[in-house]
Amino acid sequence: MSDYKALIEAVIKGDIKTAVAETQSVLDAGSNARDILDKGLIAGMDEVGERFSKGQMFVPQMLRSAKTMKECMKLLEPFFQEGDITSKGKVLIGTVKGDLHDIGKNLVSMMMEGAGFTITDLGVDVSPESFVQKAKEVEPDIVAMSALLSTTMPSMPRTIEALQRAGIRDKVKVMIGGAPVTEKYAQEIKADSYASDAGSAVSKAKNLLGVS
Ligand code: B1M
């Protein structure tokens, strides 16, 4: 059993060098990537969030921790690739308007890509109009939205309404997720699916499209 204490500490401190070295060292010791992600990197970010809520950490430190996590994720990325040749479906993904959080969204993209979906990633702060414009262009099977702020969640129903106005709501499935988002909210705004984490986003996407 690996101990992720040093990795968690390095993520909290935003110590990129130590965190990357620790990630490599637990990988070399035989830990699996999923475990490192969940029990090391995400556990560290959860503690960062806690400390931020209590006023013990501030935005610049949060940013540094986010950068640290991103650098470590680069080492884990190859382990999430399943190497499928044919696409399981097209996914258009973005973090909604007003929201700059992209770590969770990138993780969802990465896992979906690894599971064989073709991803178009619009990045962060994506307006309903941008989702619609790109959806017309790439004709995705799934429009996937991420929100990390309770204040940006209303951009999700706005995007669904915009898809409706553009006449493409019936041609796509809508999946939503992000820390403040819930299954109940997904039902309220008539999204087709909600996923609580990147792993379940993959299985829910497969269910939505009826692929295995
Ligand atoms: Co922000 N931030 N932040 N932040 N930040 C939170 C989200 C917060 C909970 C911290 C706190 O107060 N405890 C809080 C939100 C409160 C709320 O509204 N409920 C908050 C706040 C308030 C803010 C600012 C307003 C702070 C300020 O300026 N005063 C500001 C807003 C900026 C903006 O977006 N307009 C802000 C800024 C930032 C940084 C830029 C400094 C940085 C983001 C850097 C980046 O992303 N490039 C940041 C960070 C790092 C965080 C915390 C600490 C970590 C987020 C994260 O990356 N988690 C976060 C606290 C926390 O979540 N513990 C916090 C790790 C990531 C893997 O998890 O993103 O949840 P997550 O993704 C998960 C699932 O949610 C799910 O799968 C992922 C992995 O399994 N998922 C999906 C996500 N999207 C999905 C989509 C799907 C399905 C599943 O389908 C489509």
Side-chain angles (χ1 to χ4, degrees), residues 34 37-38 41-42 45-50 52-53 58-60 62-63 65-66 69-70 73 93 98-105 107-108 112 143-152 175-180 194-201:
R34 176 98 239 171
L37 179 65
D38 290 341
L41 302 179
I42 293 183
M45 289 309 274
D46 281 346
E47 180 58 29
V48 169
E50 290 279 311
F52 178 77
S53 297
F58 302 95
V59 171
M62 254 204 311
L63 261 178
S65 295
M69 174 158 180
K70 281 185 179 178
M73 272 163 55
I93 191 166
D99 202 319
L100 303 176
H101 296 85
D102 68 355
I103 296 176
K105 183 264 300 165
L107 208 46
V108 172
M112 282 190 165
V143 172
M145 290 181 266
S146 176
L148 260 289
L149 300 171
S150 31
T151 49
T152 57
M175 175 185 281
I176 62 170
Y194 156 77
S196 58
D197 56 57
S200 63

Side-chain angles (χ1 to χ4, degrees), residues 77 80-84 108-119 202:
E77 202 168 334
F80 294 118
Q81 310 293 322
E82 277 175 14
D84 287 81
V108 172
S109 290
M110 193 170 102
M111 300 286 275
M112 282 190 165
E113 194 165 31
F117 290 90
T118 304
I119 307 293
V202 169

